[in-house]
Amino acid sequence: MKQNADPFCDKRVISSESVCSSRHFVILYNIRPTVPGHVLLVSKRHVERITELDAKEISDMHSLLRKVIPVLIKAYDAEDESYNLIVQAGENSGMSVRHFHMHIVPRNSRDRYSKKNNALYTDIERARKGLGHRHVIEQTARLRRLFSKKRIESYRT
Ligand SMILES: [Zn+2]
């Protein structure tokens, strides 16, 4: 696959990297996580921007966020239940893959972007490299065990 192609429309990428899914979205462990637990919520349908999602997709996304976020908070010891949700749209936003995805980033005071470490604007190159391939493989397996089923919809009570 050529670089900068759309990996989120590649069924092999989705099936090998997903940790759980809903009807319209899949959760992937970020291949270049900025902090442990950094996952991506990716639309199954190819759209570029959040404004292109329809009402059913938005509702499904909200349900999925409500299931996934508490698991990440617990698994990655996010203090005060802290997390960031980040959506980029367009080249000037820093969007690299032009297929809708939302970053979900559990946060704690020990991570390298905490106020205490104040590295947000000085650590960009390191962040781009992520935490390494081995970390990604281990965390993908961990999250798959935590979610235990491929379709998180089956969790609904
Ligand atoms: Zn796509």
Side-chain angles (χ1 to χ4, degrees):
M1 187 173 61
K2 96 176 189 256
Q3 213 170 5
N4 298 325
D6 181 350
F8 301 152
C9 277
D10 184 332
K11 285 187 169 56
R12 287 167 305 171
V13 169
I14 298 300
S15 64
S16 70
E17 296 178 9
S18 79
V19 299
C20 68
S21 64
S22 65
R23 177 179 288 271
H24 298 291
F25 296 90
V26 61
I27 301 290
L28 310 177
Y29 200 76
N30 194 342
I31 58 167
R32 288 187 291 276
T34 55
V35 300
H38 179 175
V39 302
L40 302 176
L41 177 154
V42 177
S43 59
K44 289 182 177 174
R45 183 166 71 91
H46 179 88
V47 296
E48 193 173 317
R49 293 171 184 254
I50 194 169
T51 46
E52 297 171 64
L53 296 172
D54 65 27
K56 279 184 191 157
E57 288 167 322
I58 292 288
S59 172
D60 182 58
M61 180 171 74
H62 185 246
S63 297
L64 183 58
L65 287 171
R66 289 182 56 144
K67 303 289 183 186
V68 167
I69 288 172
V71 174
L72 294 175
I73 283 171
K74 198 167 173 201
Y76 293 96
D77 194 23
E79 292 159 354
D80 195 31
E81 302 189 353
S82 298
Y83 59 87
N84 294 110
L85 297 179
I86 303 157
V87 174
Q88 298 160 317
E91 213 166 298
N92 293 322
S93 71
M95 185 183 210
S96 54
V97 176
R98 298 181 82 86
H99 178 132
F100 173 74
H101 58 284
M102 177 185 286
H103 298 257
I104 308 173
V105 188
R107 301 296 310 275
N108 65 52
S109 64
R110 298 175 307 284
D111 74 46
R112 65 198 206 196
Y113 300 109
S114 74
K115 265 191 236 161
K116 207 164 71 186
N117 293 330
N118 197 24
L120 185 57
Y121 300 104
T122 59
D123 195 25
I124 288 173
E125 283 311 309
R126 206 165 63 142
R128 283 193 176 134
K129 290 181 186 138
L131 300 175
H133 184 63
R134 186 188 170 122
H135 170 88
V136 172
I137 298 296
E138 287 169 356
Q139 296 307 309
T140 297
R142 179 186 183 198
L143 289 176
R144 280 180 175 162
R145 284 193 304 274
L146 280 174
F147 289 112
S148 78
K149 289 177 184 163
K150 289 294 273 181
R151 288 183 65 93
I152 202 160
E153 276 183 314
S154 61
Y155 282 42
R156 285 187 182 144
T157 51

